[in-house]
Amino acid sequence: MQVKKIAIVSLSSGILGEDFIQHEFKLGLERLRNYNIDVKFMDNSLKGIDFLKKHPEARADDLIDAFSDDTVDMILCAIGGDDTYRLLPYLFENDRLRKAAKQKVFLGFSDTTMNHFMLNKIGIPSYYGQAFIPDVCELSKEMLPYTKLYFEELLDKQSIQNVQPSSEWYEERLDYSKEAIGTPLKKHINNGFELIRGVSEFEGKILGGCLESIFDIFDNSRYEDTISLCDKYELFPSLEEWKGKILLLETSEEKPKPNYFREMIIKLENYGLFDVISGMLIGKPQDELYYEEYKEILLEEITNNNLPIVYNVNVGHSTPRCIIPFGINAHVNSREQKIDFDYNSI
């Protein structure tokens, strides 16, 4: 069933409401309308960086309202950020999110990882890998072809049937000014999924996202209350809940240095995560920076030598981006370079 109406939410950064991004905003809005889609910007989504930084409750209100609006088929995040965890009290007190949420497409990535974990907690499948500003508003003459392929599939079917690697990857854009409209990104050949450990086929429901956002659940370096809030609302699944799942990890545009990447992987190792999951999918690092170093760290620090690890998936912060369903049974076949999804598993 085709998506007819999209609600756009700013659940973290309020950048969508700033004047300096209006040329991107207009470009993306025109592209959505060319699909004959009705676009609804939620009440607080355009109020800017300062307002939304100070008012996590307003961001939470927009998500509740988007789920509550029966005319909305798809909720599209504007962009990520770094403090989405602050929505927890406003979504989970009085079971507010559970009461409002119903099955509809929810798409976002980066720090939206936190929202995906929130939806997972109440049993709502969601979609990881793209967002409005970085993808629909891409300054090239059109959306990047591989990105566009998956976005259009989600619009047309409200599902993703399978994911395969992109034949190319792009260097990240440095100039986002109005003058950059229509300028192409520099392309490189992409080498596809790389099996770095374990068997070539495995399955399970996928969950995960941006590694730095996940690390914040266990670490107070960025904000002093991340651990206490995430613990209070039991955001991160227990080891029992992780059993048989596939963990997706990808790194942000901050391009964490290898020592920091190692620290984050060790934290998950110590939690016991790698002993209970059925496999891992690792996103391509942005600009392929630390590509080999990250790979070596995964093999050094994950002590479960039988855990399948598929590297170089086109998801998350490196362009182009596919879309990966969370909460849907997935069958990974790295030999055939394909991930299939079974919607009978919902």
Side-chain angles (χ1 to χ4, degrees):
M1 187 172 64
Q2 188 174 13
V3 168
K4 299 292 185 184
K5 186 173 183 178
I6 288 178
I8 295 183
V9 291
S10 297
L11 301 181
S12 189
S13 169
I15 192 174
L16 189 62
E18 299 296 329
D19 289 341
F20 63 79
I21 205 170
Q22 290 311 295
H23 58 289
E24 295 181 65
F25 175 97
K26 291 174 184 175
L27 184 63
L29 182 56
E30 181 182 355
R31 285 175 178 158
L32 288 181
R33 286 177 173 165
N34 284 341
Y35 289 114
N36 294 317
I37 287 173
D38 183 12
V39 183
K40 177 180 182 178
F41 292 93
M42 299 309 292
D43 289 349
N44 298 293
S45 63
L46 300 177
K47 291 186 177 178
I49 293 171
D50 289 344
F51 177 85
L52 289 180
K53 188 73 174 175
K54 295 172 184 172
H55 295 283
E57 76 282 0
R59 296 181 252 159
D61 287 346
D62 280 356
L63 183 60
I64 295 295
D65 291 345
F67 269 117
S68 301
D69 186 341
D70 289 334
T71 69
V72 169
D73 305 306
M74 175 175 175
I75 302 171
L76 177 60
C77 293
I79 199 169
D82 72 355
D83 71 343
T84 315
Y85 77 97
R86 294 174 64 207
L87 275 60
L88 278 163
Y90 308 104
L91 293 174
F92 283 93
E93 289 299 322
N94 301 314
D95 234 8
R96 193 177 177 211
L97 180 61
R98 190 185 301 273
K99 290 174 182 175
K102 48 184 75 77
Q103 188 52 58
K104 58 180 72 178
V105 174
F106 176 90
L107 176 61
F109 76 105
S110 192
D111 203 48
T112 303
T113 295
M114 295 296 199
N115 302 119
H116 287 286
F117 275 96
M118 294 174 196
L119 292 172
N120 173 75
K121 186 171 175 59
I122 61 170
I124 299 289
S126 56
Y127 291 85
Y128 190 88
Q130 296 183 13
F132 179 62
I133 296 173
D135 295 295
V136 184
C137 302
E138 162 58 39
L139 292 176
S140 299
K141 290 182 180 178
E142 63 173 359
M143 287 179 66
L144 301 177
Y146 178 86
T147 301
K148 185 179 181 183
L149 176 74
Y150 288 100
F151 186 69
E152 288 183 345
E153 181 180 356
L154 195 59
L155 292 182
D156 290 342
K157 300 177 181 176
Q158 296 193 35
S159 65
I160 299 292
Q161 295 305 307
N162 63 72
V163 164
Q164 299 179 58
S166 173
S167 59
E168 55 204 14
W169 66 272
Y170 303 88
E171 292 183 21
E172 291 307 304
R173 189 178 295 281
L174 299 177
D175 180 7
Y176 289 89
S177 70
K178 194 172 183 179
E179 289 69 35
I181 294 176
T183 59
L185 295 170
K186 187 174 180 180
K187 293 191 288 189
H188 298 271
I189 293 172
N190 185 51
N191 292 321
F193 300 158
E194 182 180 352
L195 181 67
I196 64 172
R197 175 181 281 173
V199 296
S200 60
E201 291 188 59
F202 53 96
E203 61 182 33
K205 293 180 179 180
I206 303 174
L207 184 62
C210 179
L211 178 57
E212 291 99 312
S213 294
I214 293 172
F215 184 63
D216 285 346
I217 298 173
F218 300 91
D219 181 82
N220 279 342
S221 299
R222 197 184 300 264
Y223 294 104
E224 64 180 14
D225 59 347
T226 51
I227 294 177
S228 60
L229 267 183
C230 292
D231 281 354
K232 179 178 179 180
Y233 296 101
E234 299 178 335
L235 183 64
F236 199 73
S238 67
L239 288 180
E240 183 64 30
E241 291 168 317
W242 273 109
K243 278 184 180 177
K245 281 188 167 60
I246 297 170
L247 174 65
L248 169 69
L249 295 178
E250 56 92 14
T251 47
S252 79
E253 78 285 353
E254 295 176 358
K255 302 173 183 175
K257 292 182 178 178
N259 284 345
Y260 183 37
F261 183 85
R262 186 184 300 275
E263 180 185 355
M264 292 187 284
I265 294 300
I266 289 173
K267 183 66 72 172
L268 297 180
E269 166 75 21
N270 291 341
Y271 185 75
L273 193 54
F274 304 130
D275 293 323
V276 298
I277 57 176
S278 64
M280 292 181 70
L281 300 173
I282 308 295
K284 176 190 284 292
Q286 196 178 82
D287 291 328
E288 285 201 345
L289 185 64
Y290 305 129
Y291 184 97
E292 294 297 333
E293 290 90 337
Y294 289 171
K295 195 162 56 172
E296 289 173 12
I297 290 166
L298 290 167
L299 294 175
E300 289 169 1
E301 300 300 344
I302 296 176
T303 57
N304 181 358
N305 291 321
N306 296 315
L307 181 66
I309 305 174
V310 173
Y311 197 75
N312 196 41
V313 181
N314 300 106
V315 67
H317 287 80
S318 180
T319 48
R321 290 181 262 270
C322 70
I323 295 172
I324 290 184
F326 286 169
I328 307 295
N329 201 63
H331 182 89
V332 179
N333 189 328
S334 61
R335 186 177 61 255
E336 293 186 1
Q337 297 282 291
K338 195 175 183 183
I339 306 170
D340 289 301
F341 302 102
D342 177 11
Y343 284 80
N344 294 321
S345 64
I346 297 178

